[in-house]
Amino acid sequence: AAMARAEGLRYQAGVARLRVNLAGLRQARGHLRDAARGYAEGLDAFEQLKRPMDAVAAGLAHADCALLLGDLASATVTLDRVRPLITDPAQREALDLRVADGRVAFALDRSPASAAALIALASALAAAQRPIAALGVRLEVLDGAPPLADDLLPAITAQGGLAKLDTPLRIERDSI
């Protein structure tokens, strides 16, 4: 109903926002392909409307979905597409873009160097007062680097705030 109303009013920014919000719901429900399509439509619309930061947000969400789907080429293309829209390296989105680039690099190369680079980006998220995002990235490294888990666990827990949890975190090698 809201989509039809926004389309009827020819409120293109509203239509684009609804597409992105619906894509978020689809992603939360596990419908990643539909979500990726909705984010891509939002990105296209925001670019046409010359709303760069909205386009960046939709693009970062699309890249995240593409990464979750294992479509690293699509994630890379989308990140390259939104990169020129970020004009200030101090913007929150600039850090989000660096993290997304790091996640793609780590997915391509699960080496100790790419894991360490992604952990460093998680530390940057934590320094930017985004501890939940930082923790998610650190856990992604731990989940994606089983042979490195024993070496990485101290860095992840000490820097990631896991040591502050009330319940001890126990990670067994066969669960990684």
Side-chain angles (χ1 to χ4, degrees), residues 48-78:
Q48 289 174 359
L49 294 168
K50 305 211 181 315
R51 298 181 67 114
M53 297 320 295
D54 290 329
V56 168
L60 288 170
H62 178 266
D64 183 57
C65 261
L67 187 58
L68 292 171
L69 287 166
D71 187 355
L72 303 180
S74 180
T76 301
V77 166
T78 300

PDB file of all heavy atoms in Angstrom, residues 48-78:
ATOM      1  N   GLN A  48      20.079   8.033  -9.758  1.00  0.00           N
ATOM      2  CA  GLN A  48      19.325   8.855 -10.706  1.00  0.00           C
ATOM      3  C   GLN A  48      18.795  10.123 -10.040  1.00  0.00           C
ATOM      4  O   GLN A  48      18.726  11.179 -10.672  1.00  0.00           O
ATOM      5  CB  GLN A  48      18.171   8.057 -11.306  1.00  0.00           C
ATOM      6  CG  GLN A  48      18.615   6.989 -12.267  1.00  0.00           C
ATOM      7  CD  GLN A  48      17.460   6.122 -12.741  1.00  0.00           C
ATOM      8  OE1 GLN A  48      16.310   6.300 -12.338  1.00  0.00           O
ATOM      9  NE2 GLN A  48      17.764   5.166 -13.603  1.00  0.00           N
ATOM     10  N   LEU A  49      18.443  10.018  -8.768  1.00  0.00           N
ATOM     11  CA  LEU A  49      17.909  11.174  -8.033  1.00  0.00           C
ATOM     12  C   LEU A  49      19.020  12.079  -7.492  1.00  0.00           C
ATOM     13  O   LEU A  49      18.735  13.084  -6.851  1.00  0.00           O
ATOM     14  CB  LEU A  49      17.033  10.696  -6.869  1.00  0.00           C
ATOM     15  CG  LEU A  49      15.753   9.980  -7.259  1.00  0.00           C
ATOM     16  CD1 LEU A  49      15.125   9.304  -6.053  1.00  0.00           C
ATOM     17  CD2 LEU A  49      14.781  10.969  -7.898  1.00  0.00           C
ATOM     18  N   LYS A  50      20.264  11.683  -7.746  1.00  0.00           N
ATOM     19  CA  LYS A  50      21.425  12.444  -7.266  1.00  0.00           C
ATOM     20  C   LYS A  50      21.410  12.603  -5.748  1.00  0.00           C
ATOM     21  O   LYS A  50      21.576  13.687  -5.215  1.00  0.00           O
ATOM     22  CB  LYS A  50      21.512  13.798  -7.972  1.00  0.00           C
ATOM     23  CG  LYS A  50      21.538  13.669  -9.481  1.00  0.00           C
ATOM     24  CD  LYS A  50      22.308  14.748 -10.143  1.00  0.00           C
ATOM     25  CE  LYS A  50      22.327  14.663 -11.639  1.00  0.00           C
ATOM     26  NZ  LYS A  50      22.563  13.422 -12.250  1.00  0.00           N
ATOM     27  N   ARG A  51      21.200  11.455  -5.083  1.00  0.00           N
ATOM     28  CA  ARG A  51      21.239  11.378  -3.623  1.00  0.00           C
ATOM     29  C   ARG A  51      22.389  10.451  -3.244  1.00  0.00           C
ATOM     30  O   ARG A  51      22.178   9.268  -2.974  1.00  0.00           O
ATOM     31  CB  ARG A  51      19.900  10.889  -3.096  1.00  0.00           C
ATOM     32  CG  ARG A  51      18.750  11.849  -3.455  1.00  0.00           C
ATOM     33  CD  ARG A  51      17.457  11.364  -2.900  1.00  0.00           C
ATOM     34  NE  ARG A  51      17.499  11.424  -1.455  1.00  0.00           N
ATOM     35  CZ  ARG A  51      16.745  12.212  -0.706  1.00  0.00           C
ATOM     36  NH1 ARG A  51      15.909  13.047  -1.286  1.00  0.00           N
ATOM     37  NH2 ARG A  51      16.826  12.176   0.590  1.00  0.00           N
ATOM     38  N   PRO A  52      23.609  10.991  -3.253  1.00  0.00           N
ATOM     39  CA  PRO A  52      24.790  10.135  -3.134  1.00  0.00           C
ATOM     40  C   PRO A  52      24.871   9.333  -1.836  1.00  0.00           C
ATOM     41  O   PRO A  52      25.254   8.155  -1.874  1.00  0.00           O
ATOM     42  CB  PRO A  52      25.967  11.104  -3.263  1.00  0.00           C
ATOM     43  CG  PRO A  52      25.409  12.444  -2.987  1.00  0.00           C
ATOM     44  CD  PRO A  52      23.967  12.398  -3.386  1.00  0.00           C
ATOM     45  N   MET A  53      24.532   9.913  -0.712  1.00  0.00           N
ATOM     46  CA  MET A  53      24.691   9.153   0.528  1.00  0.00           C
ATOM     47  C   MET A  53      23.629   8.055   0.649  1.00  0.00           C
ATOM     48  O   MET A  53      23.911   6.991   1.199  1.00  0.00           O
ATOM     49  CB  MET A  53      24.675  10.083   1.737  1.00  0.00           C
ATOM     50  CG  MET A  53      25.853  11.070   1.727  1.00  0.00           C
ATOM     51  SD  MET A  53      27.447  10.378   1.181  1.00  0.00           S
ATOM     52  CE  MET A  53      27.794   9.195   2.435  1.00  0.00           C
ATOM     53  N   ASP A  54      22.447   8.305   0.121  1.00  0.00           N
ATOM     54  CA  ASP A  54      21.444   7.239   0.077  1.00  0.00           C
ATOM     55  C   ASP A  54      21.903   6.127  -0.866  1.00  0.00           C
ATOM     56  O   ASP A  54      21.709   4.944  -0.584  1.00  0.00           O
ATOM     57  CB  ASP A  54      20.088   7.794  -0.374  1.00  0.00           C
ATOM     58  CG  ASP A  54      19.436   8.687   0.664  1.00  0.00           C
ATOM     59  OD1 ASP A  54      19.645   8.461   1.876  1.00  0.00           O
ATOM     60  OD2 ASP A  54      18.714   9.616   0.261  1.00  0.00           O
ATOM     61  N   ALA A  55      22.530   6.526  -1.982  1.00  0.00           N
ATOM     62  CA  ALA A  55      23.053   5.527  -2.923  1.00  0.00           C
ATOM     63  C   ALA A  55      24.157   4.707  -2.268  1.00  0.00           C
ATOM     64  O   ALA A  55      24.224   3.486  -2.445  1.00  0.00           O
ATOM     65  CB  ALA A  55      23.577   6.220  -4.186  1.00  0.00           C
ATOM     66  N   VAL A  56      25.010   5.358  -1.485  1.00  0.00           N
ATOM     67  CA  VAL A  56      26.086   4.642  -0.794  1.00  0.00           C
ATOM     68  C   VAL A  56      25.500   3.626   0.180  1.00  0.00           C
ATOM     69  O   VAL A  56      25.934   2.472   0.224  1.00  0.00           O
ATOM     70  CB  VAL A  56      27.034   5.621  -0.073  1.00  0.00           C
ATOM     71  CG1 VAL A  56      27.969   4.888   0.870  1.00  0.00           C
ATOM     72  CG2 VAL A  56      27.831   6.431  -1.089  1.00  0.00           C
ATOM     73  N   ALA A  57      24.501   4.050   0.951  1.00  0.00           N
ATOM     74  CA  ALA A  57      23.890   3.130   1.922  1.00  0.00           C
ATOM     75  C   ALA A  57      23.275   1.918   1.220  1.00  0.00           C
ATOM     76  O   ALA A  57      23.480   0.776   1.650  1.00  0.00           O
ATOM     77  CB  ALA A  57      22.839   3.866   2.748  1.00  0.00           C
ATOM     78  N   ALA A  58      22.552   2.166   0.137  1.00  0.00           N
ATOM     79  CA  ALA A  58      21.953   1.055  -0.611  1.00  0.00           C
ATOM     80  C   ALA A  58      23.042   0.176  -1.231  1.00  0.00           C
ATOM     81  O   ALA A  58      22.936  -1.058  -1.230  1.00  0.00           O
ATOM     82  CB  ALA A  58      21.017   1.587  -1.690  1.00  0.00           C
ATOM     83  N   GLY A  59      24.095   0.807  -1.729  1.00  0.00           N
ATOM     84  CA  GLY A  59      25.187   0.046  -2.336  1.00  0.00           C
ATOM     85  C   GLY A  59      25.930  -0.817  -1.330  1.00  0.00           C
ATOM     86  O   GLY A  59      26.262  -1.963  -1.619  1.00  0.00           O
ATOM     87  N   LEU A  60      26.191  -0.262  -0.150  1.00  0.00           N
ATOM     88  CA  LEU A  60      26.859  -1.052   0.884  1.00  0.00           C
ATOM     89  C   LEU A  60      25.994  -2.238   1.306  1.00  0.00           C
ATOM     90  O   LEU A  60      26.504  -3.343   1.524  1.00  0.00           O
ATOM     91  CB  LEU A  60      27.200  -0.179   2.086  1.00  0.00           C
ATOM     92  CG  LEU A  60      28.337   0.826   1.866  1.00  0.00           C
ATOM     93  CD1 LEU A  60      28.413   1.798   3.033  1.00  0.00           C
ATOM     94  CD2 LEU A  60      29.656   0.118   1.650  1.00  0.00           C
ATOM     95  N   ALA A  61      24.680  -2.015   1.400  1.00  0.00           N
ATOM     96  CA  ALA A  61      23.774  -3.111   1.752  1.00  0.00           C
ATOM     97  C   ALA A  61      23.757  -4.160   0.642  1.00  0.00           C
ATOM     98  O   ALA A  61      23.746  -5.371   0.916  1.00  0.00           O
ATOM     99  CB  ALA A  61      22.370  -2.570   2.019  1.00  0.00           C
ATOM    100  N   HIS A  62      23.774  -3.705  -0.605  1.00  0.00           N
ATOM    101  CA  HIS A  62      23.805  -4.650  -1.728  1.00  0.00           C
ATOM    102  C   HIS A  62      25.098  -5.462  -1.704  1.00  0.00           C
ATOM    103  O   HIS A  62      25.082  -6.686  -1.889  1.00  0.00           O
ATOM    104  CB  HIS A  62      23.676  -3.917  -3.063  1.00  0.00           C
ATOM    105  CG  HIS A  62      23.746  -4.847  -4.234  1.00  0.00           C
ATOM    106  ND1 HIS A  62      24.926  -5.100  -4.907  1.00  0.00           N
ATOM    107  CD2 HIS A  62      22.800  -5.616  -4.811  1.00  0.00           C
ATOM    108  CE1 HIS A  62      24.698  -5.974  -5.864  1.00  0.00           C
ATOM    109  NE2 HIS A  62      23.420  -6.306  -5.836  1.00  0.00           N
ATOM    110  N   ALA A  63      26.212  -4.797  -1.468  1.00  0.00           N
ATOM    111  CA  ALA A  63      27.487  -5.505  -1.417  1.00  0.00           C
ATOM    112  C   ALA A  63      27.496  -6.534  -0.291  1.00  0.00           C
ATOM    113  O   ALA A  63      28.021  -7.640  -0.453  1.00  0.00           O
ATOM    114  CB  ALA A  63      28.638  -4.514  -1.248  1.00  0.00           C
ATOM    115  N   ASP A  64      26.900  -6.172   0.843  1.00  0.00           N
ATOM    116  CA  ASP A  64      26.814  -7.116   1.956  1.00  0.00           C
ATOM    117  C   ASP A  64      26.016  -8.354   1.553  1.00  0.00           C
ATOM    118  O   ASP A  64      26.434  -9.486   1.814  1.00  0.00           O
ATOM    119  CB  ASP A  64      26.175  -6.439   3.170  1.00  0.00           C
ATOM    120  CG  ASP A  64      26.115  -7.353   4.376  1.00  0.00           C
ATOM    121  OD1 ASP A  64      27.179  -7.842   4.809  1.00  0.00           O
ATOM    122  OD2 ASP A  64      24.995  -7.597   4.881  1.00  0.00           O
ATOM    123  N   CYS A  65      24.887  -8.138   0.910  1.00  0.00           N
ATOM    124  CA  CYS A  65      24.075  -9.283   0.447  1.00  0.00           C
ATOM    125  C   CYS A  65      24.853 -10.122  -0.565  1.00  0.00           C
ATOM    126  O   CYS A  65      24.828 -11.355  -0.492  1.00  0.00           O
ATOM    127  CB  CYS A  65      22.788  -8.779  -0.204  1.00  0.00           C
ATOM    128  SG  CYS A  65      21.382  -8.822   0.868  1.00  0.00           S
ATOM    129  N   ALA A  66      25.499  -9.461  -1.500  1.00  0.00           N
ATOM    130  CA  ALA A  66      26.264 -10.191  -2.510  1.00  0.00           C
ATOM    131  C   ALA A  66      27.361 -11.016  -1.839  1.00  0.00           C
ATOM    132  O   ALA A  66      27.595 -12.172  -2.212  1.00  0.00           O
ATOM    133  CB  ALA A  66      26.861  -9.218  -3.521  1.00  0.00           C
ATOM    134  N   LEU A  67      28.006 -10.445  -0.840  1.00  0.00           N
ATOM    135  CA  LEU A  67      29.046 -11.177  -0.110  1.00  0.00           C
ATOM    136  C   LEU A  67      28.449 -12.390   0.593  1.00  0.00           C
ATOM    137  O   LEU A  67      29.014 -13.483   0.550  1.00  0.00           O
ATOM    138  CB  LEU A  67      29.719 -10.243   0.899  1.00  0.00           C
ATOM    139  CG  LEU A  67      30.930 -10.765   1.636  1.00  0.00           C
ATOM    140  CD1 LEU A  67      32.037 -11.186   0.683  1.00  0.00           C
ATOM    141  CD2 LEU A  67      31.448  -9.711   2.594  1.00  0.00           C
ATOM    142  N   LEU A  68      27.295 -12.213   1.223  1.00  0.00           N
ATOM    143  CA  LEU A  68      26.636 -13.333   1.898  1.00  0.00           C
ATOM    144  C   LEU A  68      26.226 -14.433   0.914  1.00  0.00           C
ATOM    145  O   LEU A  68      26.195 -15.603   1.264  1.00  0.00           O
ATOM    146  CB  LEU A  68      25.424 -12.841   2.686  1.00  0.00           C
ATOM    147  CG  LEU A  68      25.731 -11.968   3.898  1.00  0.00           C
ATOM    148  CD1 LEU A  68      24.446 -11.361   4.454  1.00  0.00           C
ATOM    149  CD2 LEU A  68      26.461 -12.765   4.966  1.00  0.00           C
ATOM    150  N   LEU A  69      25.913 -14.017  -0.308  1.00  0.00           N
ATOM    151  CA  LEU A  69      25.558 -14.985  -1.346  1.00  0.00           C
ATOM    152  C   LEU A  69      26.788 -15.621  -1.993  1.00  0.00           C
ATOM    153  O   LEU A  69      26.655 -16.526  -2.812  1.00  0.00           O
ATOM    154  CB  LEU A  69      24.715 -14.299  -2.424  1.00  0.00           C
ATOM    155  CG  LEU A  69      23.284 -13.957  -2.027  1.00  0.00           C
ATOM    156  CD1 LEU A  69      22.664 -12.982  -3.024  1.00  0.00           C
ATOM    157  CD2 LEU A  69      22.446 -15.234  -1.933  1.00  0.00           C
ATOM    158  N   GLY A  70      27.965 -15.125  -1.636  1.00  0.00           N
ATOM    159  CA  GLY A  70      29.187 -15.641  -2.237  1.00  0.00           C
ATOM    160  C   GLY A  70      29.492 -15.041  -3.596  1.00  0.00           C
ATOM    161  O   GLY A  70      30.376 -15.520  -4.313  1.00  0.00           O
ATOM    162  N   ASP A  71      28.787 -13.984  -3.956  1.00  0.00           N
ATOM    163  CA  ASP A  71      28.989 -13.326  -5.243  1.00  0.00           C
ATOM    164  C   ASP A  71      29.982 -12.178  -5.059  1.00  0.00           C
ATOM    165  O   ASP A  71      29.610 -11.004  -4.995  1.00  0.00           O
ATOM    166  CB  ASP A  71      27.652 -12.824  -5.782  1.00  0.00           C
ATOM    167  CG  ASP A  71      27.742 -12.276  -7.194  1.00  0.00           C
ATOM    168  OD1 ASP A  71      28.865 -12.197  -7.738  1.00  0.00           O
ATOM    169  OD2 ASP A  71      26.684 -11.908  -7.746  1.00  0.00           O
ATOM    170  N   LEU A  72      31.259 -12.528  -4.950  1.00  0.00           N
ATOM    171  CA  LEU A  72      32.294 -11.547  -4.668  1.00  0.00           C
ATOM    172  C   LEU A  72      32.474 -10.562  -5.816  1.00  0.00           C
ATOM    173  O   LEU A  72      32.793  -9.392  -5.584  1.00  0.00           O
ATOM    174  CB  LEU A  72      33.610 -12.246  -4.343  1.00  0.00           C
ATOM    175  CG  LEU A  72      33.557 -13.235  -3.173  1.00  0.00           C
ATOM    176  CD1 LEU A  72      34.905 -13.865  -2.946  1.00  0.00           C
ATOM    177  CD2 LEU A  72      33.044 -12.566  -1.924  1.00  0.00           C
ATOM    178  N   ALA A  73      32.262 -11.009  -7.041  1.00  0.00           N
ATOM    179  CA  ALA A  73      32.393 -10.109  -8.188  1.00  0.00           C
ATOM    180  C   ALA A  73      31.350  -9.001  -8.117  1.00  0.00           C
ATOM    181  O   ALA A  73      31.658  -7.823  -8.318  1.00  0.00           O
ATOM    182  CB  ALA A  73      32.266 -10.888  -9.489  1.00  0.00           C
ATOM    183  N   SER A  74      30.117  -9.364  -7.813  1.00  0.00           N
ATOM    184  CA  SER A  74      29.053  -8.362  -7.700  1.00  0.00           C
ATOM    185  C   SER A  74      29.320  -7.408  -6.534  1.00  0.00           C
ATOM    186  O   SER A  74      29.109  -6.200  -6.655  1.00  0.00           O
ATOM    187  CB  SER A  74      27.703  -9.058  -7.523  1.00  0.00           C
ATOM    188  OG  SER A  74      26.670  -8.104  -7.413  1.00  0.00           O
ATOM    189  N   ALA A  75      29.787  -7.955  -5.420  1.00  0.00           N
ATOM    190  CA  ALA A  75      30.106  -7.100  -4.272  1.00  0.00           C
ATOM    191  C   ALA A  75      31.187  -6.098  -4.648  1.00  0.00           C
ATOM    192  O   ALA A  75      31.080  -4.907  -4.332  1.00  0.00           O
ATOM    193  CB  ALA A  75      30.547  -7.954  -3.085  1.00  0.00           C
ATOM    194  N   THR A  76      32.206  -6.558  -5.347  1.00  0.00           N
ATOM    195  CA  THR A  76      33.308  -5.680  -5.742  1.00  0.00           C
ATOM    196  C   THR A  76      32.838  -4.597  -6.709  1.00  0.00           C
ATOM    197  O   THR A  76      33.206  -3.426  -6.566  1.00  0.00           O
ATOM    198  CB  THR A  76      34.447  -6.513  -6.371  1.00  0.00           C
ATOM    199  OG1 THR A  76      34.892  -7.467  -5.397  1.00  0.00           O
ATOM    200  CG2 THR A  76      35.603  -5.650  -6.793  1.00  0.00           C
ATOM    201  N   VAL A  77      32.031  -4.973  -7.681  1.00  0.00           N
ATOM    202  CA  VAL A  77      31.513  -4.000  -8.651  1.00  0.00           C
ATOM    203  C   VAL A  77      30.693  -2.933  -7.922  1.00  0.00           C
ATOM    204  O   VAL A  77      30.831  -1.729  -8.191  1.00  0.00           O
ATOM    205  CB  VAL A  77      30.674  -4.707  -9.744  1.00  0.00           C
ATOM    206  CG1 VAL A  77      29.856  -3.715 -10.554  1.00  0.00           C
ATOM    207  CG2 VAL A  77      31.575  -5.526 -10.647  1.00  0.00           C
ATOM    208  N   THR A  78      29.858  -3.347  -7.000  1.00  0.00           N
ATOM    209  CA  THR A  78      29.027  -2.390  -6.266  1.00  0.00           C
ATOM    210  C   THR A  78      29.882  -1.466  -5.410  1.00  0.00           C
ATOM    211  O   THR A  78      29.647  -0.253  -5.374  1.00  0.00           O
ATOM    212  CB  THR A  78      27.990  -3.127  -5.400  1.00  0.00           C
ATOM    213  OG1 THR A  78      27.160  -3.912  -6.259  1.00  0.00           O
ATOM    214  CG2 THR A  78      27.129  -2.156  -4.623  1.00  0.00           C
TER     215      THR A  78
END
